[in-house]
Each structure stands twice: as C-alpha cells, then as structure tokens.
Amino acid sequence: IGKEAKDLTIALKGNSKVQGDWGEMVLESILEKSGLEKGREFTVQTTTHTDGGNRLRADVIINYPDGRKVVIDSKVSLTAYVNFINAEDSEEQERYKKQHLTSIKSHIAELRDKKYQDYLGDKCADFVMMFIPNEAAYLAAMQFDGNIWQEAYNSRVLLISPTHLISVLRLVEQLWIQDRQTRHAI
C-alpha cells in the first residue's frame, strides 16, 4: 500500500495527464454523490464542435429542468502548489507561488478561448465553471492573488472548489425536485 501511495503521489506531482484524470474523477465522484441523475441531470465528456470544425469535449454539462445548461471543466494545478508547500525558504516559496498562479491563469485563458458556452446552444449559461479539485490549492490561489477571481469572471469563467461545487449541485438538485413535484401535481 505504501508503494502504491508513493507512486500515486509521484504521478500526481509530475504528470499533468494523471492530474487531469484525477481531477475529473473527483468531479464525477462529487456529481455521483450529489443526488443528480447521470444522463438526465448531468452528462460527462460531452463532445461538440466549433464553427471551424474543432472538437470540444466538456468534462461535465449540468442540465437544468428548463433546458438551460452550464459547463464544468476540471483543471488541476498541483505541481507548483505542492512545491510551494514543500519549499524550504521564502525565495523558493515566492517562485512556486508565481508558478501556481501562472498555471491557474493559463487554465482560465484556455477555457476563455474554448468558449464552450458559445457552442452549446442558446440556453447555455454565459460562463464556464472551472473546477479546482484541491480545496487547499484553490484557497492558496485566492490568497496569493485577490484579483484572480475577477480576472476569471471577466473571461466568463467561474472558479469553484469542491465546497462550492457541492453547494451548486445541491441547488440544482432542489430545482429538479421542485420540477418533478410540479409535473406530478399537474
């Protein structure tokens, strides 16, 4: 077990593909425990195409009862954050702090440029939720740069942590419950 834990730690610290897969796994795990029904109230790995024919694959699309949609994309920025935590002096910490923020800002720019919301129909929310699956990494970014949330918002991206995601999903679940009760009453 110790060897497997060490291998996982090494993989998560250095391999961005493994980090991304881990983030998607955390996202899907929260969704499965949220009470929402997969395939109806949310879909995973939905593919669409841009006007130019490029393929876009959203990690998750949350469906609202009235047909509206919102995209959630998991973006993991752990390497610089872990290095920041393990830094031995303030100079190293400062360097890794900047790298952590740069990583998150590049993910924001990536989502801004993908423009998922422009290709998923008129009822898609005008923003994408960027899910940062590590609460501590999310909080550190907010502390390191108090304007990062505004920068993301200006790019039509909302930064969310696991805690925020659970709150959002709970609200969506309540909308679906209310919708089912209304349909039943009718």
Side-chain angles (χ1 to χ4, degrees):
I1 292 174
K3 182 185 180 323
E4 288 177 14
K6 182 180 179 187
D7 291 346
L8 177 61
T9 301
I10 290 168
L12 283 174
K13 283 170 56 176
N15 186 325
S16 60
K17 172 69 174 132
V18 172
Q19 286 183 15
D21 291 346
W22 173 79
E24 290 172 14
M25 181 187 72
V26 171
L27 175 57
E28 195 163 349
S29 174
I30 292 172
L31 283 161
E32 288 170 355
K33 295 173 183 170
S34 72
L36 296 179
E37 182 182 329
K38 186 175 183 177
R40 177 181 166 184
E41 293 150 359
F42 73 94
T43 56
V44 178
Q45 302 296 327
T46 302
T47 301
T48 189
H49 293 86
T50 65
D51 296 334
N54 294 332
R55 192 178 78 146
L56 290 176
R57 189 178 76 193
D59 289 341
V60 170
I61 296 178
I62 300 293
N63 300 308
Y64 289 81
D66 65 358
R68 290 179 296 151
K69 302 172 188 295
V70 67
V71 174
I72 302 176
D73 205 73
S74 175
K75 296 295 182 195
V76 180
S77 296
L78 282 180
T79 305
Y81 174 71
V82 169
N83 290 337
F84 169 80
I85 295 298
N86 294 323
E88 296 185 13
D89 60 50
S90 60
E91 188 176 301
E92 252 189 317
Q93 279 188 326
E94 189 62 30
R95 183 177 64 219
Y96 292 125
K97 177 170 92 172
K98 287 178 183 175
Q99 286 179 8
H100 181 56
L101 288 171
T102 299
S103 176
I104 290 176
K105 288 178 182 186
S106 73
H107 288 311
I108 292 167
E110 178 186 338
L111 289 175
R112 177 197 65 221
D113 294 343
K114 282 186 176 180
K115 301 179 184 178
Y116 283 112
Q117 58 274 44
D118 293 345
Y119 300 105
L120 292 173
D122 293 340
K123 289 196 166 194
C124 189
D126 193 35
F127 57 87
V128 173
M129 292 184 181
M130 180 176 133
F131 175 64
I132 301 174
N134 183 288
E135 195 81 33
Y138 169 86
L139 291 172
M142 295 300 123
Q143 290 174 345
F144 297 160
D145 182 351
N147 294 321
I148 195 167
W149 193 90
Q150 187 65 49
E151 284 180 48
Y153 184 79
N154 292 344
S155 296
R156 302 188 328 170
V157 175
L158 296 180
L159 300 176
I160 61 170
S161 69
T163 302
H164 294 125
L165 179 60
I166 291 167
S167 300
V168 167
L169 295 177
R170 187 72 179 124
L171 290 171
V172 173
E173 179 192 25
Q174 290 300 309
L175 289 173
W176 278 103
I177 289 170
Q178 185 176 12
D179 182 68
R180 283 191 289 273
Q181 288 172 345
T182 300
R183 288 175 194 264
H184 182 69
I186 290 171

